[in-house]
Amino acid sequence: MALPVSTGANPAAPVRPVSARHFVRLKLRVMGNNFRGQGWRIALFIGGALLGLWFAASGFFLFAAPGLADDGRYAVLVAAAGGGLLVLGWLLLPLVFFGVDETLDPARFALLPLPRRTLVTGLFVAALVSVPVLAVLIATLGLVLTAWSLGGWSAGLVAVVGVLAGLLLCVAASRAVTSAFATMLRSRRVRDLAAVLLAVTAALIGPLQVFGLAALRQADWNRLAGAATVIGWTPFGAPWTAGIDVAQGRVWAAPVKLLITVMALGALLAWWSRSLESAMVGATSGGKAPARRGATGGAVAQLFPRVAGWAGRDRFGALVAREARYWWRDARRRANLITIAVVGIFVPVFINVTGGDFAAMESGGLTAAAGDSSPVVVTISMVLVGVLAAATLANQFGFDGSAYAANVVAGVPGRVELRARMTAFSLYVLPMLAFVAVVLSVLLGRPGWIGLTFGGLVATYGAGLAVNSLVSVLGAYSLPETSNPFAMNSGAGLTKGLLTLLTMIASAVAAVPMVVAAALLGDAWLWLALPVGAAYGLGAALLGAYLAGDVLDRRQPELLATVTPRR
Amino acid sequence: MTVEHPALALRGLAKRFDGTIAVAGVDLDVPAGSFYGLLGPNGAGKTTTLSMAVGLLRPDAGAAWVLGHDVWQDPITAKRLLGVMPDGVRLFDRLTGAELLAYNGLLRGMDPAVVDQRAAELLDVLALGDAGRTLVVDYSAGMKKKIGLACALLHGPRVLVLDEPFEAVDPVSAALIRDILTRYAAGGGTVVFSSHVMEVVERLCSHVAILAGGTIKRVGTIDEVRGDRSLEQVFVEVVGGRTATGEELSWLSQ
């Protein structure tokens, strides 16, 4: 799709058209140059690719199952539900967990005389060149197999077209949504609104899971098939079910569904192209900062926010105050805080409430659902939340980027640095965890369990802080200096994923004593959990800061070098 | 008391990045009380050298001393004597100017009352007081340089190391920065700064070193280095620049 480029001033000069091919080659070149001389990056990339292939293979067999079993009954169900989940995943996961690969930052193209259409097409095609896209392609080829074995080559062919269109839809959706949110988060005027929207979007994941599980639990396959048919007529399911429709004799449905897909794709691309413009003109758009209140008091008094007002006016206090300000003022950090808040509430509710009798929930309200939730299950769900919350700090120095140089120049001792960072983060997270504990206990109808839930949370969170402070010193990586809080460097998404996984496993292991205690000690634990958990968490965090601080003292300059974005 | 020690001494500093040699053994003695200019074309290794000298980048070989204190063996003492303004490094720019100064002051272990008083004075002198509650990220390039300088000066360092303090700064701000640096040097402080602006170096510096291709090409007092020619002539000759013949780039004329 080559479009001629107009030169304006000198139309006589021959101009070679810029096509998507150039963008793809540029992306591959940038990726290749990022690997140069960095053995561990190549290793990580290969590791990620293998992981992707493994998921792709399991997905393939899942999608191909109806075809392999030669059983057409559940073909639409698998295609619509599985495909719908894929689209939804592409839509939400970049916002909440992974970020988007911004190897080609749109802002870099702002000065080139490219028509917006060329730019959007190019960036879009370049975005298709990635491991996740390949993995999804392999997985969804299972649908082609199903369609082909059920309906012969014509159905298979339609399925191929459908799958390809669906893949385009996935990528377009993720780009459009992240770009739109990034634009909103960048603009100061609507930033807070965007934060709320993001939270609501992320919160959707919870109820959807609950809904899905409820549906599975009821095992009314006919009703599910009915729902799948409906989903099949939305953009979420349309591309994936077109081939199956042909196989099952509804040939007329295929072109309609493909048309639905193409229209959705067009709408998403148009949306993306609009927000892309603001991404290109950069961070200055979106109006002036809201007028801040006039300076009151001296410089030191201004530095300390109210939440950190108790801290001493010394080195530790200054670090806490600056971190506390940053968790709120830095869009990237704030997005992380919101994620913890949302996930922190929904994961335990999901595990504990849906673990109960779902029919009871439908008829008798949430409180009746606590039937078979035990202290062990509750503690395990608390471990999950605590681990997730602490994992945010796995790349805490990456948030700072080269600004960390100020601390290196000042020669801040590593232990003070890490303790202060933990404290500032906890100023936000501990109240959140307390809220989770209270809400969960009330939802379960067992207010007496507040100690149990909060104790488990604090213990895991403390252990997680310890593990993550060590990881943040040893496994830091740079984040791109763009205004898109969801942007990741190419390859960094994988580093992030692996590191997060690693730290979460390590923190969970560190919290095992809490689960064991919950299992062994019975009712006495309900009372002991809070003091023991608090002591355990605090001790673990302090020990972590002590050990990791020593490492930090020895490798401050190296850490600075790894978190400084390469320009 | 530290007369016998140079303000900044570098011995054999070397750094290699991914196989390319950025700095190939730099020796330098900056006498206490001098105003020292480190000259060099882009990519000469000025930033790398200064980063290694102040403890931001670990050298592959060599050592650096600040008033006799080894930067890499005894960093705490050395860093206490140093005020640094790195180039191409972000500040904690989600703070306001006053907040940033307070942060840096407390980080240096200063008394809060002293921080308040000096911060107010610095903001006033550098004409940053009007910015009020504007975040540093929204400052203009010149304002960012000025607040960076204020952060480096706040704790009253004995040695000031500035990387490109006059880059992207308008003439008014540049004059202000020049004025403050001159006063600082007159008060017994030592200033080391990198630049490729000849006029500024010629006007301010007592000593210069010309760095090119990762090694020191010329070093000495400014009169020794330039002799009877202009500094620019010496610089271009040392660095080996080329002059346009008029043949190439003919398509530039319409």
Side-chain angles (χ1 to χ4, degrees), chain A residues 188 292-293 298-300 302 313 315 318-319 322 325-326 329 402-403 407-409 481 554 557-558 560, chain B residues 55-56 58 72 79 89-95 98-99 102-103 106-108 112 116 133 135 138:
Chain A
R188 294 205 178 79
R292 293 172 178 278
R293 271 170 293 127
V300 173
Q302 289 176 42
R313 268 42 174 173
R315 194 144 57 179
L319 282 163
R322 203 264 307 151
R325 287 232 181 270
Y326 259 64
R329 285 188 189 164
S402 54
N407 295 11
V408 179
V409 164
E481 279 183 354
R554 271 179 280 124
E558 284 76 12
L560 175 63
Chain B
L56 282 175
R58 199 183 297 280
W72 291 98
K79 284 174 178 175
V89 161
R90 289 175 74 148
L91 300 160
F92 278 109
D93 52 17
R94 255 65 173 203
L95 301 178
E99 287 167 1
Y103 174 67
L106 294 178
L107 216 56
R108 295 280 190 171
D116 273 345
R133 303 283 291 158
L135 297 186
D138 295 329

Side-chain angles (χ1 to χ4, degrees), chain A residues 193-536:
Chain A
L193 175 69
V196 172
L197 264 178
L198 179 64
V200 172
T201 314
L204 278 175
I205 295 177
L208 278 173
Q209 280 175 324
V210 174
F211 181 75
L213 264 221
L216 279 181
R217 206 165 268 275
Q218 288 176 342
D220 184 351
W221 291 100
N222 288 332
R223 259 174 67 183
L224 275 188
T229 313
V230 174
I231 294 175
W233 285 101
T234 66
F236 286 98
W240 318 107
T241 50
I244 314 279
D245 278 332
V246 174
Q248 297 183 340
R250 296 183 296 273
V251 179
W252 55 271
V256 182
K257 285 189 170 178
L258 290 181
L259 188 68
I260 291 175
T261 310
V262 169
M263 277 164 58
L265 185 63
L268 284 170
L269 285 182
W271 188 26
W272 185 32
S273 133
R274 283 184 55 142
S275 59
L276 204 56
E277 184 135 313
S278 98
M280 280 166 58
V281 291
T284 45
S285 70
K288 291 294 282 181
R292 293 172 178 278
R293 271 170 293 127
T296 48
V300 173
Q302 289 176 42
L303 173 65
F304 283 77
R306 216 176 312 146
V307 66
W310 50 269
R313 268 42 174 173
D314 54 9
R315 194 144 57 179
F316 176 79
L319 282 163
V320 171
R322 203 264 307 151
E323 280 282 304
R325 287 232 181 270
Y326 259 64
W327 279 109
W328 197 244
R329 285 188 189 164
D330 186 355
R332 181 142 42 195
R333 293 200 193 201
R334 191 147 60 152
N336 272 302
L337 270 188
I338 293 165
T339 307
I340 304 174
V342 171
V343 175
I345 294 197
F346 277 99
V347 166
V349 170
F350 169 65
I351 290 181
N352 292 288
V353 175
T354 60
D357 185 358
F358 222 89
M361 176 180 160
E362 282 189 342
S363 58
L366 281 170
T367 44
D372 54 359
S373 212
S374 74
V376 177
V377 173
V378 169
T379 308
I380 289 177
S381 69
M382 292 299 99
V383 166
L384 269 177
V385 175
V387 161
L388 269 175
T392 308
L393 291 189
N395 193 28
Q396 55 179 341
F397 292 99
F399 289 133
D400 291 347
S402 54
Y404 176 62
N407 295 11
V408 179
V409 164
V412 182
R415 285 167 193 162
V416 176
E417 171 104 49
L418 289 173
R419 274 206 305 273
R421 283 172 185 264
M422 287 176 178
T423 309
F425 186 55
S426 302
L427 288 179
Y428 293 97
V429 171
L430 280 183
M432 237 187 268
L433 294 185
F435 180 72
V436 169
V438 171
V439 165
L440 187 66
S441 308
V442 170
L443 273 185
L444 290 174
R446 297 186 186 237
W449 283 13
I450 288 180
L452 177 77
T453 49
F454 196 46
L457 273 174
V458 175
T460 333
Y461 173 65
L465 285 183
V467 172
N468 282 288
S469 56
L470 194 61
V471 169
S472 71
V473 174
L474 292 175
Y477 52 93
S478 68
L479 296 168
E481 279 183 354
T482 70
S483 43
N484 181 351
F486 306 110
M488 299 289 298
N489 281 325
S490 62
L494 188 67
T495 320
K496 181 184 173 186
L498 284 180
L499 270 181
T500 311
L501 199 67
L502 192 79
T503 56
M504 281 168 59
I505 291 172
S507 327
V509 168
V512 162
M514 293 300 285
V515 182
V516 174
L520 294 183
L521 293 181
D523 282 350
W525 184 243
L526 291 182
W527 300 106
L528 282 175
L530 185 54
V532 170
Y536 187 86

